[in-house]
Amino acid sequence: GQNIDQPTEMTATEGAIVQINCTYQTSGFNGLFWYQQHAGEAPTFLSYNVLDGLEEKGRFSSFLSRSKGYSYLLLKELQMKDSASYLCAVRDNGNTGKLIFGQGTTLQVKP
Amino acid sequence: NAGVTQTPKFRILKIGQSMTLQCAQDMNHNYMYWYRQDPGMGLKLIYYSVGAGITDKGEVPNGYNVSRSTTEDFPLRLELAAPSQTSVYFCASSADAEAFFGQGTRLTVV
């Protein structure tokens, strides 16, 4: 089975840095994804980690430790438009392509 | 670029009615998925497919059926609608990396 855990809610201040953690326990692993979802909209892709380490994309970075079953998404220079839900997802290994999501973290950015 | 197209966008069903949610992608992706998202919650996997003719159950398959006769289309069938199936349904597709999502179908069962 697969279990993916994220904090339910977080609050941060505009201009600050916030780290959203994700821990997972899965029978297989073939990549970890982070998605952003604004209220009433579809999820959009942010980042992908399959090897240990840090992936940086502009203001967003994502880190993976496969041995610890742990990832985080780092958002720098927070803007009001970053208020959204952030979803962590794990892909199963092999050829199944099965993609399971955590419950999501709702981030509120305050002025 | 069409990407992943879902129809309809909104639907109200009466208890016991049936309907098919349509999903089509034009990116030649092998993997396709159906998720449901209840208010304030994450995405729950209903069914997925690794290619034409191959489907498998996800986390919450009960009350749903799917088929994958072509690479492009992955319809989701509700046979006997129940209030518990009120939700937003998302279809997604992927090659070997990130999944791309449709805009969702908001379904209400009354």
Side-chain angles (χ1 to χ4, degrees), chain A residues 66-110:
Chain A
R66 289 172 295 170
S67 62
K68 295 182 180 178
Y70 169 69
S71 173
Y72 66 74
L73 179 69
L74 194 71
L75 292 76
K76 303 175 187 175
E77 302 170 12
L78 280 173
Q79 301 175 9
M80 298 300 290
K81 68 177 182 179
D82 297 329
S83 292
S85 288
Y86 291 86
L87 309 175
C88 173
V90 173
R91 170 170 283 161
D92 204 348
N93 62 1
N95 294 323
T96 69
K98 190 173 178 180
L99 186 63
I100 300 294
F101 282 78
Q103 72 270 27
T105 299
T106 299
L107 173 66
Q108 185 178 17
V109 180
K110 294 186 173 180

Short mmCIF file of all heavy atoms in Angstrom, two decimals, chain A residues 66-110:
data_model
loop_
_atom_site.label_atom_id
_atom_site.label_comp_id
_atom_site.label_asym_id
_atom_site.label_seq_id
_atom_site.Cartn_x
_atom_site.Cartn_y
_atom_site.Cartn_z
N ARG A 66 15.22 9.47 -0.65
CA ARG A 66 14.51 8.20 -0.81
C ARG A 66 14.69 7.29 0.40
O ARG A 66 13.76 6.58 0.79
CB ARG A 66 14.99 7.50 -2.09
CG ARG A 66 14.54 8.18 -3.37
CD ARG A 66 15.20 7.56 -4.58
NE ARG A 66 16.64 7.80 -4.55
CZ ARG A 66 17.50 7.22 -5.37
NH1 ARG A 66 17.07 6.35 -6.29
NH2 ARG A 66 18.78 7.49 -5.31
N SER A 67 15.86 7.33 1.03
CA SER A 67 16.10 6.45 2.18
C SER A 67 15.21 6.83 3.36
O SER A 67 14.83 5.97 4.16
CB SER A 67 17.57 6.49 2.59
OG SER A 67 17.93 7.80 3.00
N LYS A 68 14.85 8.12 3.46
CA LYS A 68 14.02 8.59 4.56
C LYS A 68 12.55 8.69 4.15
O LYS A 68 11.70 8.99 5.01
CB LYS A 68 14.50 9.95 5.05
CG LYS A 68 15.87 9.92 5.68
CD LYS A 68 16.29 11.30 6.20
CE LYS A 68 17.67 11.24 6.83
NZ LYS A 68 18.14 12.56 7.29
N GLY A 69 12.23 8.45 2.89
CA GLY A 69 10.85 8.61 2.44
C GLY A 69 10.35 10.02 2.68
O GLY A 69 9.25 10.24 3.20
N TYR A 70 11.15 10.99 2.28
CA TYR A 70 10.88 12.39 2.66
C TYR A 70 11.17 13.32 1.50
O TYR A 70 12.16 13.16 0.76
CB TYR A 70 11.77 12.74 3.85
CG TYR A 70 11.84 14.19 4.22
CD1 TYR A 70 10.74 14.84 4.77
CD2 TYR A 70 13.01 14.92 4.02
CE1 TYR A 70 10.81 16.19 5.12
CE2 TYR A 70 13.08 16.26 4.36
CZ TYR A 70 11.99 16.88 4.91
OH TYR A 70 12.06 18.21 5.25
N SER A 71 10.30 14.30 1.37
CA SER A 71 10.50 15.36 0.38
C SER A 71 10.02 16.67 0.98
O SER A 71 9.21 16.68 1.92
CB SER A 71 9.70 15.05 -0.89
OG SER A 71 9.74 16.14 -1.81
N TYR A 72 10.52 17.76 0.47
CA TYR A 72 9.94 19.05 0.80
C TYR A 72 9.91 19.95 -0.42
O TYR A 72 10.72 19.81 -1.34
CB TYR A 72 10.65 19.75 1.97
CG TYR A 72 12.08 20.20 1.73
CD1 TYR A 72 12.38 21.29 0.93
CD2 TYR A 72 13.13 19.53 2.34
CE1 TYR A 72 13.69 21.70 0.72
CE2 TYR A 72 14.44 19.93 2.15
CZ TYR A 72 14.72 21.01 1.33
OH TYR A 72 16.01 21.42 1.13
N LEU A 73 8.97 20.86 -0.41
CA LEU A 73 8.85 21.91 -1.42
C LEU A 73 9.17 23.22 -0.73
O LEU A 73 8.59 23.54 0.31
CB LEU A 73 7.43 21.95 -1.99
CG LEU A 73 7.16 23.01 -3.05
CD1 LEU A 73 7.91 22.68 -4.34
CD2 LEU A 73 5.65 23.11 -3.33
N LEU A 74 10.11 23.97 -1.30
CA LEU A 74 10.54 25.24 -0.73
C LEU A 74 10.09 26.37 -1.64
O LEU A 74 10.39 26.35 -2.85
CB LEU A 74 12.06 25.26 -0.57
CG LEU A 74 12.67 26.34 0.29
CD1 LEU A 74 12.33 26.07 1.76
CD2 LEU A 74 14.18 26.39 0.10
N LEU A 75 9.35 27.31 -1.09
CA LEU A 75 8.90 28.45 -1.86
C LEU A 75 9.57 29.71 -1.30
O LEU A 75 9.43 30.03 -0.11
CB LEU A 75 7.37 28.62 -1.77
CG LEU A 75 6.48 27.58 -2.43
CD1 LEU A 75 6.41 26.29 -1.62
CD2 LEU A 75 5.08 28.14 -2.65
N LYS A 76 10.29 30.42 -2.15
CA LYS A 76 11.00 31.62 -1.72
C LYS A 76 10.27 32.86 -2.19
O LYS A 76 9.47 32.82 -3.13
CB LYS A 76 12.42 31.61 -2.31
CG LYS A 76 13.24 30.41 -1.96
CD LYS A 76 14.59 30.44 -2.69
CE LYS A 76 15.36 29.16 -2.48
NZ LYS A 76 16.62 29.13 -3.29
N GLU A 77 10.57 33.97 -1.54
CA GLU A 77 10.01 35.28 -1.93
C GLU A 77 8.51 35.17 -2.18
O GLU A 77 8.01 35.50 -3.26
CB GLU A 77 10.72 35.80 -3.19
CG GLU A 77 12.22 35.95 -3.03
CD GLU A 77 12.93 36.22 -4.35
OE1 GLU A 77 12.24 36.51 -5.36
OE2 GLU A 77 14.16 36.12 -4.39
N LEU A 78 7.82 34.70 -1.16
CA LEU A 78 6.40 34.42 -1.30
C LEU A 78 5.61 35.61 -1.82
O LEU A 78 5.83 36.76 -1.42
CB LEU A 78 5.80 33.97 0.04
CG LEU A 78 6.05 32.52 0.44
CD1 LEU A 78 5.56 32.29 1.86
CD2 LEU A 78 5.36 31.57 -0.54
N GLN A 79 4.68 35.29 -2.70
CA GLN A 79 3.77 36.30 -3.24
C GLN A 79 2.34 35.90 -2.89
O GLN A 79 2.06 34.72 -2.62
CB GLN A 79 3.94 36.37 -4.77
CG GLN A 79 5.36 36.72 -5.20
CD GLN A 79 5.55 36.67 -6.70
OE1 GLN A 79 4.59 36.54 -7.47
NE2 GLN A 79 6.81 36.77 -7.15
N MET A 80 1.45 36.88 -2.92
CA MET A 80 0.06 36.60 -2.56
C MET A 80 -0.53 35.52 -3.46
O MET A 80 -1.33 34.69 -3.01
CB MET A 80 -0.77 37.87 -2.64
CG MET A 80 -0.33 38.97 -1.68
SD MET A 80 -0.42 38.45 0.04
CE MET A 80 -2.19 38.38 0.26
N LYS A 81 -0.11 35.51 -4.72
CA LYS A 81 -0.65 34.53 -5.67
C LYS A 81 -0.20 33.10 -5.36
O LYS A 81 -0.72 32.15 -5.95
CB LYS A 81 -0.23 34.89 -7.10
CG LYS A 81 1.27 34.75 -7.36
CD LYS A 81 1.60 35.05 -8.81
CE LYS A 81 3.10 34.86 -9.07
NZ LYS A 81 3.46 35.14 -10.49
N ASP A 82 0.74 32.92 -4.43
CA ASP A 82 1.17 31.58 -4.03
C ASP A 82 0.19 30.93 -3.07
O ASP A 82 0.34 29.75 -2.73
CB ASP A 82 2.56 31.63 -3.39
CG ASP A 82 3.63 32.10 -4.35
OD1 ASP A 82 3.50 31.85 -5.56
OD2 ASP A 82 4.60 32.74 -3.88
N SER A 83 -0.81 31.69 -2.62
CA SER A 83 -1.86 31.10 -1.79
C SER A 83 -2.61 30.06 -2.62
O SER A 83 -3.25 30.39 -3.63
CB SER A 83 -2.84 32.18 -1.31
OG SER A 83 -2.23 33.06 -0.40
N ALA A 84 -2.50 28.80 -2.20
CA ALA A 84 -3.03 27.68 -2.99
C ALA A 84 -2.84 26.41 -2.17
O ALA A 84 -2.27 26.44 -1.07
CB ALA A 84 -2.32 27.56 -4.32
N SER A 85 -3.31 25.30 -2.72
CA SER A 85 -3.00 24.00 -2.14
C SER A 85 -1.81 23.40 -2.88
O SER A 85 -1.69 23.57 -4.11
CB SER A 85 -4.20 23.05 -2.25
OG SER A 85 -5.21 23.42 -1.37
N TYR A 86 -0.95 22.72 -2.12
CA TYR A 86 0.23 22.09 -2.71
C TYR A 86 0.13 20.59 -2.45
O TYR A 86 0.02 20.14 -1.31
CB TYR A 86 1.50 22.69 -2.12
CG TYR A 86 1.65 24.12 -2.58
CD1 TYR A 86 1.03 25.16 -1.89
CD2 TYR A 86 2.35 24.43 -3.74
CE1 TYR A 86 1.11 26.46 -2.34
CE2 TYR A 86 2.45 25.73 -4.20
CZ TYR A 86 1.81 26.75 -3.49
OH TYR A 86 1.88 28.04 -3.95
N LEU A 87 0.15 19.84 -3.54
CA LEU A 87 -0.11 18.40 -3.49
C LEU A 87 1.18 17.63 -3.77
O LEU A 87 1.85 17.89 -4.77
CB LEU A 87 -1.15 18.02 -4.54
CG LEU A 87 -2.45 18.82 -4.55
CD1 LEU A 87 -3.33 18.39 -5.73
CD2 LEU A 87 -3.21 18.63 -3.26
N CYS A 88 1.48 16.69 -2.90
CA CYS A 88 2.61 15.78 -3.07
C CYS A 88 2.07 14.48 -3.65
O CYS A 88 1.01 13.99 -3.21
CB CYS A 88 3.25 15.55 -1.70
SG CYS A 88 4.55 14.32 -1.63
N ALA A 89 2.75 13.91 -4.64
CA ALA A 89 2.28 12.67 -5.26
C ALA A 89 3.46 11.74 -5.52
O ALA A 89 4.55 12.20 -5.86
CB ALA A 89 1.55 12.98 -6.58
N VAL A 90 3.23 10.45 -5.36
CA VAL A 90 4.27 9.45 -5.57
C VAL A 90 3.83 8.48 -6.67
O VAL A 90 2.69 8.01 -6.68
CB VAL A 90 4.56 8.66 -4.27
CG1 VAL A 90 5.52 7.50 -4.54
CG2 VAL A 90 5.13 9.59 -3.22
N ARG A 91 4.76 8.20 -7.58
CA ARG A 91 4.48 7.22 -8.63
C ARG A 91 5.07 5.87 -8.23
O ARG A 91 6.21 5.79 -7.77
CB ARG A 91 5.09 7.68 -9.95
CG ARG A 91 5.07 6.60 -11.03
CD ARG A 91 5.45 7.15 -12.36
NE ARG A 91 4.33 7.90 -12.94
CZ ARG A 91 4.48 8.79 -13.92
NH1 ARG A 91 5.66 9.05 -14.40
NH2 ARG A 91 3.43 9.41 -14.40
N ASP A 92 4.26 4.85 -8.44
CA ASP A 92 4.70 3.49 -8.16
C ASP A 92 5.80 3.07 -9.14
O ASP A 92 5.97 3.69 -10.18
CB ASP A 92 3.50 2.54 -8.30
CG ASP A 92 3.66 1.27 -7.51
OD1 ASP A 92 4.79 0.99 -7.04
OD2 ASP A 92 2.68 0.53 -7.36
N ASN A 93 6.53 2.03 -8.81
CA ASN A 93 7.60 1.60 -9.70
C ASN A 93 7.05 0.65 -10.76
O ASN A 93 5.85 0.40 -10.84
CB ASN A 93 8.73 0.95 -8.91
CG ASN A 93 8.27 -0.29 -8.17
OD1 ASN A 93 7.12 -0.68 -8.26
ND2 ASN A 93 9.18 -0.90 -7.45
N GLY A 94 7.94 0.16 -11.56
CA GLY A 94 7.54 -0.75 -12.62
C GLY A 94 6.80 -0.02 -13.73
O GLY A 94 6.95 1.17 -13.92
N ASN A 95 5.96 -0.74 -14.42
CA ASN A 95 5.25 -0.17 -15.55
C ASN A 95 3.82 0.24 -15.22
O ASN A 95 3.03 0.53 -16.12
CB ASN A 95 5.22 -1.17 -16.70
CG ASN A 95 6.61 -1.41 -17.25
OD1 ASN A 95 7.41 -0.49 -17.33
ND2 ASN A 95 6.89 -2.64 -17.61
N THR A 96 3.46 0.26 -13.93
CA THR A 96 2.06 0.56 -13.60
C THR A 96 1.73 2.03 -13.81
O THR A 96 0.60 2.36 -14.14
CB THR A 96 1.74 0.19 -12.15
OG1 THR A 96 2.43 1.09 -11.27
CG2 THR A 96 2.14 -1.24 -11.83
N GLY A 97 2.70 2.90 -13.57
CA GLY A 97 2.42 4.32 -13.68
C GLY A 97 1.46 4.84 -12.65
O GLY A 97 1.01 5.98 -12.73
N LYS A 98 1.11 4.04 -11.67
CA LYS A 98 0.13 4.43 -10.66
C LYS A 98 0.62 5.65 -9.89
O LYS A 98 1.73 5.64 -9.38
CB LYS A 98 -0.08 3.26 -9.71
CG LYS A 98 -1.23 3.39 -8.76
CD LYS A 98 -1.39 2.06 -8.01
CE LYS A 98 -2.51 2.11 -7.00
NZ LYS A 98 -2.62 0.81 -6.29
N LEU A 99 -0.20 6.68 -9.81
CA LEU A 99 0.18 7.96 -9.21
C LEU A 99 -0.79 8.28 -8.08
O LEU A 99 -1.98 8.48 -8.30
CB LEU A 99 0.12 9.05 -10.29
CG LEU A 99 0.62 10.44 -9.94
CD1 LEU A 99 2.11 10.40 -9.60
CD2 LEU A 99 0.36 11.39 -11.09
N ILE A 100 -0.25 8.30 -6.85
CA ILE A 100 -1.07 8.50 -5.65
C ILE A 100 -0.73 9.85 -5.02
O ILE A 100 0.45 10.19 -4.88
CB ILE A 100 -0.82 7.38 -4.63
CG1 ILE A 100 -1.19 6.02 -5.23
CG2 ILE A 100 -1.61 7.62 -3.35
CD1 ILE A 100 -2.64 5.84 -5.54
N PHE A 101 -1.77 10.57 -4.60
CA PHE A 101 -1.60 11.90 -4.02
C PHE A 101 -1.79 11.89 -2.51
O PHE A 101 -2.59 11.11 -1.97
CB PHE A 101 -2.61 12.87 -4.62
CG PHE A 101 -2.25 13.35 -6.00
CD1 PHE A 101 -2.45 12.55 -7.11
CD2 PHE A 101 -1.67 14.60 -6.17
CE1 PHE A 101 -2.10 12.99 -8.37
CE2 PHE A 101 -1.33 15.05 -7.43
CZ PHE A 101 -1.54 14.24 -8.54
N GLY A 102 -1.08 12.79 -1.84
CA GLY A 102 -1.37 13.09 -0.45
C GLY A 102 -2.59 13.98 -0.37
O GLY A 102 -3.18 14.36 -1.40
N GLN A 103 -2.97 14.37 0.87
CA GLN A 103 -4.20 15.13 1.05
C GLN A 103 -4.05 16.61 0.72
O GLN A 103 -5.03 17.35 0.65
CB GLN A 103 -4.73 14.99 2.49
CG GLN A 103 -3.91 15.74 3.54
CD GLN A 103 -2.80 14.89 4.12
OE1 GLN A 103 -2.28 13.99 3.49
NE2 GLN A 103 -2.44 15.18 5.36
N GLY A 104 -2.80 17.04 0.47
CA GLY A 104 -2.58 18.43 0.11
C GLY A 104 -2.36 19.34 1.30
O GLY A 104 -2.88 19.09 2.40
N THR A 105 -1.59 20.40 1.10
CA THR A 105 -1.33 21.42 2.12
C THR A 105 -1.85 22.74 1.61
O THR A 105 -1.44 23.21 0.55
CB THR A 105 0.18 21.55 2.40
OG1 THR A 105 0.68 20.30 2.89
CG2 THR A 105 0.44 22.66 3.42
N THR A 106 -2.79 23.34 2.35
CA THR A 106 -3.33 24.64 1.96
C THR A 106 -2.44 25.72 2.56
O THR A 106 -2.29 25.82 3.78
CB THR A 106 -4.76 24.80 2.46
OG1 THR A 106 -5.57 23.79 1.87
CG2 THR A 106 -5.32 26.18 2.05
N LEU A 107 -1.84 26.51 1.69
CA LEU A 107 -0.95 27.59 2.12
C LEU A 107 -1.66 28.93 1.98
O LEU A 107 -2.17 29.26 0.91
CB LEU A 107 0.32 27.60 1.26
CG LEU A 107 1.28 28.78 1.48
CD1 LEU A 107 1.88 28.71 2.89
CD2 LEU A 107 2.36 28.80 0.43
N GLN A 108 -1.67 29.67 3.06
CA GLN A 108 -2.22 31.03 3.01
C GLN A 108 -1.09 32.02 3.19
O GLN A 108 -0.34 31.95 4.18
CB GLN A 108 -3.25 31.23 4.12
CG GLN A 108 -3.95 32.58 4.05
CD GLN A 108 -5.01 32.76 5.13
OE1 GLN A 108 -5.03 32.03 6.12
NE2 GLN A 108 -5.87 33.73 4.94
N VAL A 109 -0.92 32.90 2.21
CA VAL A 109 0.10 33.94 2.28
C VAL A 109 -0.57 35.23 2.73
O VAL A 109 -1.52 35.69 2.10
CB VAL A 109 0.79 34.13 0.92
CG1 VAL A 109 1.86 35.22 1.03
CG2 VAL A 109 1.43 32.82 0.46
N LYS A 110 -0.03 35.81 3.81
CA LYS A 110 -0.61 37.04 4.35
C LYS A 110 0.29 38.23 4.08
O LYS A 110 1.52 38.06 4.01
CB LYS A 110 -0.83 36.87 5.85
CG LYS A 110 -1.88 35.83 6.20
CD LYS A 110 -2.16 35.79 7.69
CE LYS A 110 -3.33 34.87 8.00
NZ LYS A 110 -3.63 34.83 9.46
#
